[in-house]
Amino acid sequence: TASDTLAGMRLLALGGRARLSGLASPRALGTAPRTPAPGAVLRLAVLAAFVWGCGGTELVGVRNFRRVSARLPDVYRSAAPETLTALDVESLKRLRVHCVIDLRNQDEITKARAKATPEGLELAGCLDAGGFGNMRREHIPVLNDMDSFWDSVESQLPPLRKAESIVYRALDGERLNQLLYSALSEGGNAKLNTAMLEASAAAFGRALRATAAAIASGDGVLLHCAYGKDRTGVLAALLQLAVGDSDAEIVDAYGLSEKILGPRTFLAETRSEQAEGADLTNLQGSPPEAMASTLKWLQSRPGGVNGYLASTGCTDEWRAQLLAGRAS
């Protein structure tokens, strides 16, 4: 995933189109052990605040677990859950988490299960088979169509670079790859977010509707991807916008992933990509300014945030369902 989405990313020229493969790696999926870092004390303090915010509940084996918003008390977000413990399973039951929305691609899921705990593997198998008690899984891969993702990166290029991309698309697929790779790297997390929003509106819409339907039925919801920071962060931001959280609250919530996970969440993968001439260091962490730019991009679209939500199939009726479920 770019580590969440772009860790281990590799561009290939196939028929002149830029494509993405190698989306996940064991470290990108959060299974490698972490060593204490200088910011560890700060992250522990942040984690303590999250435990309080989740009614005193902490998932021991799953990172970045917290509520999406105080205005959505039954909607949670996290990193990949395959590393959960038996205590974590009980915690999810106490929180009435009956709907798990997984935003990863299937290859990421397969790799995560190779590093899963026994409890995580059992839960995954039961969810695949149709459910685990009252818990069910909705698999909604946000980055299932990588051609569309790279088309969105290209569509957001400034005029001169867009003209350059048109020439490369016709004559030199490898140069096109490098141009788009550079554009994404230079744009950082903000470019990653806006390209996902543009390319994967249908997937985000499915996830938003599934969330509203679940909480309207009285179920708790867990949203996750690999790290719970990029795909999950964008989905959480859309939910926060819908329930009236301020821009400052949304920016802070997005930035907190970096405080929990650390700013360099996929160092090993970026080093390997640098050897191939790509530098993805600008996609590490979850800098608050990236979400601030993402919100400005949403607000600048025709119809603003509401126009974007409507384009995903989330209309006033959906918002009413979301708010009614929140109040119940």
Side-chain angles (χ1 to χ4, degrees), residues 51-109:
V51 172
W52 176 83
C54 293
T57 300
E58 175 186 357
L59 297 190
V60 177
V62 180
R63 295 190 294 169
N64 208 6
F65 176 77
R66 49 191 163 113
R67 278 197 177 109
V68 164
S69 166
R71 295 176 176 85
L72 289 169
D74 296 322
V75 183
Y76 303 88
R77 54 184 289 182
S78 76
E82 279 84 4
T83 52
L84 54 68
T85 67
L87 288 175
D88 295 336
V89 173
E90 294 305 314
S91 294
L92 292 176
K93 289 179 180 177
R94 285 197 302 274
L95 293 172
R96 297 181 298 105
V97 172
H98 296 160
C99 180
V100 178
I101 298 178
D102 189 342
L103 305 177
R104 298 171 297 174
N105 286 1
Q106 186 58 49
D107 62 332
E108 299 175 77
I109 296 170

Side-chain angles (χ1 to χ4, degrees), residues 83-214:
T83 52
L84 54 68
T85 67
L87 288 175
D88 295 336
V89 173
E90 294 305 314
S91 294
L92 292 176
K93 289 179 180 177
R94 285 197 302 274
L95 293 172
R96 297 181 298 105
V97 172
H98 296 160
C99 180
V100 178
I101 298 178
D102 189 342
L103 305 177
R104 298 171 297 174
N105 286 1
Q106 186 58 49
D107 62 332
E108 299 175 77
I109 296 170
T110 300
K111 291 180 180 180
R113 291 182 183 181
K115 300 285 187 177
T117 60
E119 293 82 8
L121 198 58
E122 179 184 5
L123 176 62
C126 291
L127 292 177
D128 284 349
F132 181 80
N134 292 325
M135 195 180 298
R136 65 190 183 280
R137 173 175 173 259
E138 297 272 357
H139 182 210
I140 306 175
V142 166
L143 288 173
N144 203 40
D145 183 355
M146 291 311 305
D147 279 337
S148 292
F149 175 83
W150 288 111
D151 286 346
S152 293
V153 173
E154 186 175 9
S155 75
Q156 295 177 22
L157 291 172
L160 287 178
R161 294 186 82 180
K162 188 174 292 185
E164 189 179 357
S165 76
I166 293 171
V167 173
Y168 290 154
R169 183 174 287 277
L171 301 176
D172 192 336
E174 184 57 34
R175 293 285 293 275
L176 175 63
N177 285 343
Q178 290 303 317
L179 175 66
L180 297 180
Y181 221 76
S182 295
L184 183 61
S185 176
E186 292 164 11
N189 296 78
K191 181 62 65 181
L192 169 63
N193 292 345
T194 57
M196 287 195 296
L197 282 163
E198 186 171 79
S200 302
F204 281 122
R206 284 180 58 203
L208 290 167
R209 293 191 298 276
T211 299

